[in-house]
Amino acid sequence: MAKVAVVFHSGYGHTLRMAQSVADGANADLVAIDADGNLTEDGWATLNEADAILMGSPTYMGSVSWQFKKFADASSKAWFSQAWKDKIFGGFTASANVNGDKHSTLHYFMTLAMQHGGIWVGTGLHYNNTKASQRNDINYLASSAGPMAQTPGDAGGAEMNAGDLETARLFGQRVAELAARFKG
């Protein structure tokens, strides 16, 4: 069985809910980036020991939160020693707007993964884009790069869309299965 870690920053609880869904699907360890952009020593050890690292951040102003960026910059120690080379990577994000430039955040994650010599995994899910599609459908927001969630700006994390959370769970499951195959 592969070891999967979900490293994330959550500002208002939405990305935390996504991280929990991803972790449920992957049977993964959650590694929270704190409000100051830091990880514990145990958090760094979990990432170093993982076969797959899944990254999550809200999309703020078209990119990751500054706390996630601080973590990413600190990961240069792992980059220098190529400690994360050939690990499987993926990412997920949430914002208040339907578009909200979430793909910019996912592309940031992809670039970070490539900098580390990683292997990127997308959702592998079809889109629900017919007239019969409903907002609670899986991958309704139609992302191949990684799960996206959209919750109105005045709605809390408990009010997140069930389809977005299920998309995140299925993504975690996919990554865990691929990581196990890659490892084995």
Short mmCIF file of all heavy atoms in Angstrom, two decimals, residues 99-125:
data_model
loop_
_atom_site.label_atom_id
_atom_site.label_comp_id
_atom_site.label_asym_id
_atom_site.label_seq_id
_atom_site.Cartn_x
_atom_site.Cartn_y
_atom_site.Cartn_z
N ASN A 99 -15.68 30.27 -11.84
CA ASN A 99 -14.36 30.17 -12.45
C ASN A 99 -13.33 30.54 -11.39
O ASN A 99 -12.59 29.69 -10.94
CB ASN A 99 -14.25 31.06 -13.68
CG ASN A 99 -12.87 30.99 -14.32
OD1 ASN A 99 -11.86 30.86 -13.65
ND2 ASN A 99 -12.83 31.09 -15.62
N GLY A 100 -13.30 31.78 -11.00
CA GLY A 100 -12.41 32.22 -9.94
C GLY A 100 -10.93 32.01 -10.23
O GLY A 100 -10.10 32.09 -9.34
N ASP A 101 -10.58 31.72 -11.48
CA ASP A 101 -9.20 31.47 -11.88
C ASP A 101 -8.55 30.32 -11.13
O ASP A 101 -7.36 30.29 -10.88
CB ASP A 101 -8.36 32.75 -11.78
CG ASP A 101 -8.86 33.83 -12.73
OD1 ASP A 101 -9.17 33.48 -13.88
OD2 ASP A 101 -8.97 34.99 -12.32
N LYS A 102 -9.38 29.32 -10.79
CA LYS A 102 -8.88 28.15 -10.08
C LYS A 102 -7.82 27.39 -10.87
O LYS A 102 -6.94 26.78 -10.28
CB LYS A 102 -10.04 27.23 -9.69
CG LYS A 102 -10.92 27.78 -8.58
CD LYS A 102 -11.96 26.78 -8.13
CE LYS A 102 -13.22 26.78 -8.90
NZ LYS A 102 -14.02 27.98 -8.84
N HIS A 103 -7.91 27.42 -12.20
CA HIS A 103 -6.89 26.71 -12.98
C HIS A 103 -5.51 27.30 -12.77
O HIS A 103 -4.51 26.59 -12.87
CB HIS A 103 -7.26 26.66 -14.46
CG HIS A 103 -7.90 25.37 -14.84
ND1 HIS A 103 -7.21 24.18 -14.92
CD2 HIS A 103 -9.18 25.07 -15.12
CE1 HIS A 103 -8.04 23.22 -15.24
NE2 HIS A 103 -9.25 23.72 -15.36
N SER A 104 -5.42 28.59 -12.47
CA SER A 104 -4.12 29.19 -12.17
C SER A 104 -3.50 28.53 -10.94
O SER A 104 -2.30 28.28 -10.89
CB SER A 104 -4.24 30.70 -11.95
OG SER A 104 -4.66 31.34 -13.12
N THR A 105 -4.33 28.24 -9.95
CA THR A 105 -3.84 27.57 -8.74
C THR A 105 -3.40 26.15 -9.07
O THR A 105 -2.32 25.71 -8.64
CB THR A 105 -4.93 27.58 -7.66
OG1 THR A 105 -5.25 28.94 -7.35
CG2 THR A 105 -4.48 26.86 -6.40
N LEU A 106 -4.21 25.42 -9.82
CA LEU A 106 -3.82 24.05 -10.20
C LEU A 106 -2.54 24.04 -11.03
O LEU A 106 -1.67 23.19 -10.85
CB LEU A 106 -4.96 23.36 -10.92
CG LEU A 106 -6.20 23.08 -10.07
CD1 LEU A 106 -7.34 22.54 -10.93
CD2 LEU A 106 -5.89 22.14 -8.92
N HIS A 107 -2.38 25.01 -11.91
CA HIS A 107 -1.15 25.10 -12.71
C HIS A 107 0.04 25.45 -11.83
O HIS A 107 1.16 24.97 -12.10
CB HIS A 107 -1.33 26.09 -13.85
CG HIS A 107 -2.22 25.57 -14.93
ND1 HIS A 107 -2.10 25.92 -16.24
CD2 HIS A 107 -3.26 24.70 -14.89
CE1 HIS A 107 -3.01 25.30 -16.97
NE2 HIS A 107 -3.73 24.57 -16.15
N TYR A 108 -0.18 26.25 -10.81
CA TYR A 108 0.90 26.52 -9.85
C TYR A 108 1.36 25.22 -9.20
O TYR A 108 2.56 24.95 -9.09
CB TYR A 108 0.42 27.53 -8.78
CG TYR A 108 1.48 27.81 -7.76
CD1 TYR A 108 2.40 28.84 -7.96
CD2 TYR A 108 1.59 27.04 -6.61
CE1 TYR A 108 3.40 29.08 -7.03
CE2 TYR A 108 2.59 27.28 -5.68
CZ TYR A 108 3.50 28.30 -5.90
OH TYR A 108 4.49 28.53 -5.00
N PHE A 109 0.39 24.40 -8.76
CA PHE A 109 0.73 23.11 -8.16
C PHE A 109 1.50 22.23 -9.15
O PHE A 109 2.46 21.57 -8.77
CB PHE A 109 -0.53 22.36 -7.72
CG PHE A 109 -1.32 22.96 -6.60
CD1 PHE A 109 -2.69 22.80 -6.56
CD2 PHE A 109 -0.70 23.66 -5.57
CE1 PHE A 109 -3.44 23.31 -5.52
CE2 PHE A 109 -1.45 24.19 -4.53
CZ PHE A 109 -2.82 24.02 -4.50
N MET A 110 1.03 22.20 -10.41
CA MET A 110 1.72 21.38 -11.42
C MET A 110 3.16 21.82 -11.60
O MET A 110 4.07 20.99 -11.68
CB MET A 110 1.00 21.47 -12.77
CG MET A 110 -0.23 20.63 -12.88
SD MET A 110 -0.86 20.71 -14.58
CE MET A 110 -2.45 21.46 -14.27
N THR A 111 3.37 23.13 -11.66
CA THR A 111 4.73 23.65 -11.82
C THR A 111 5.58 23.26 -10.62
O THR A 111 6.73 22.82 -10.78
CB THR A 111 4.70 25.18 -12.00
OG1 THR A 111 3.93 25.49 -13.15
CG2 THR A 111 6.09 25.75 -12.14
N LEU A 112 5.04 23.39 -9.42
CA LEU A 112 5.79 23.01 -8.22
C LEU A 112 6.13 21.52 -8.26
O LEU A 112 7.26 21.12 -7.96
CB LEU A 112 4.97 23.34 -6.96
CG LEU A 112 5.62 23.02 -5.62
CD1 LEU A 112 6.94 23.76 -5.43
CD2 LEU A 112 4.66 23.34 -4.48
N ALA A 113 5.17 20.69 -8.66
CA ALA A 113 5.42 19.25 -8.76
C ALA A 113 6.52 18.96 -9.79
O ALA A 113 7.42 18.13 -9.53
CB ALA A 113 4.14 18.52 -9.15
N MET A 114 6.49 19.64 -10.92
CA MET A 114 7.52 19.43 -11.95
C MET A 114 8.88 19.90 -11.46
O MET A 114 9.90 19.29 -11.76
CB MET A 114 7.15 20.15 -13.25
CG MET A 114 5.88 19.65 -13.92
SD MET A 114 5.85 17.88 -14.25
CE MET A 114 4.65 17.35 -13.03
N GLN A 115 8.91 21.00 -10.71
CA GLN A 115 10.17 21.48 -10.14
C GLN A 115 10.81 20.40 -9.26
O GLN A 115 12.01 20.25 -9.23
CB GLN A 115 9.93 22.74 -9.30
CG GLN A 115 9.54 23.95 -10.10
CD GLN A 115 10.72 24.82 -10.43
OE1 GLN A 115 11.56 25.08 -9.59
NE2 GLN A 115 10.78 25.26 -11.66
N HIS A 116 9.95 19.65 -8.57
CA HIS A 116 10.43 18.59 -7.69
C HIS A 116 10.68 17.28 -8.44
O HIS A 116 11.06 16.28 -7.83
CB HIS A 116 9.43 18.35 -6.55
CG HIS A 116 9.55 19.34 -5.45
ND1 HIS A 116 10.59 19.32 -4.53
CD2 HIS A 116 8.78 20.40 -5.11
CE1 HIS A 116 10.45 20.31 -3.67
NE2 HIS A 116 9.36 20.99 -4.01
N GLY A 117 10.48 17.26 -9.75
CA GLY A 117 10.69 16.04 -10.53
C GLY A 117 9.58 15.03 -10.34
O GLY A 117 9.78 13.83 -10.50
N GLY A 118 8.39 15.52 -10.00
CA GLY A 118 7.27 14.66 -9.71
C GLY A 118 6.46 14.26 -10.93
O GLY A 118 6.68 14.74 -12.04
N ILE A 119 5.50 13.39 -10.69
CA ILE A 119 4.60 12.87 -11.71
C ILE A 119 3.20 13.36 -11.37
O ILE A 119 2.67 13.03 -10.32
CB ILE A 119 4.65 11.32 -11.72
CG1 ILE A 119 6.07 10.85 -11.99
CG2 ILE A 119 3.66 10.75 -12.72
CD1 ILE A 119 6.33 9.43 -11.57
N TRP A 120 2.60 14.15 -12.27
CA TRP A 120 1.30 14.77 -12.01
C TRP A 120 0.16 13.83 -12.38
O TRP A 120 0.18 13.20 -13.43
CB TRP A 120 1.16 16.07 -12.80
CG TRP A 120 -0.09 16.81 -12.43
CD1 TRP A 120 -1.28 16.79 -13.10
CD2 TRP A 120 -0.28 17.62 -11.30
NE1 TRP A 120 -2.20 17.57 -12.45
CE2 TRP A 120 -1.60 18.09 -11.32
CE3 TRP A 120 0.55 18.02 -10.23
CZ2 TRP A 120 -2.13 18.93 -10.35
CZ3 TRP A 120 0.02 18.85 -9.26
CH2 TRP A 120 -1.29 19.30 -9.33
N VAL A 121 -0.86 13.79 -11.53
CA VAL A 121 -2.07 13.02 -11.79
C VAL A 121 -3.27 13.97 -11.74
O VAL A 121 -3.43 14.73 -10.78
CB VAL A 121 -2.25 11.89 -10.75
CG1 VAL A 121 -3.57 11.17 -10.95
CG2 VAL A 121 -1.10 10.91 -10.82
N GLY A 122 -4.09 13.91 -12.77
CA GLY A 122 -5.33 14.69 -12.81
C GLY A 122 -6.51 13.87 -12.32
O GLY A 122 -6.35 12.77 -11.79
N THR A 123 -7.69 14.41 -12.52
CA THR A 123 -8.89 13.77 -11.98
C THR A 123 -9.23 12.46 -12.68
O THR A 123 -9.76 11.55 -12.04
CB THR A 123 -10.12 14.70 -12.08
OG1 THR A 123 -10.38 14.97 -13.46
CG2 THR A 123 -9.92 15.98 -11.30
N GLY A 124 -9.02 12.37 -13.97
CA GLY A 124 -9.41 11.18 -14.71
C GLY A 124 -10.92 11.01 -14.81
O GLY A 124 -11.42 9.93 -15.08
N LEU A 125 -11.65 12.09 -14.58
CA LEU A 125 -13.12 12.04 -14.55
C LEU A 125 -13.72 12.75 -15.76
O LEU A 125 -13.22 13.80 -16.18
CB LEU A 125 -13.65 12.71 -13.28
CG LEU A 125 -13.26 12.06 -11.96
CD1 LEU A 125 -13.63 12.97 -10.79
CD2 LEU A 125 -13.92 10.70 -11.82
#
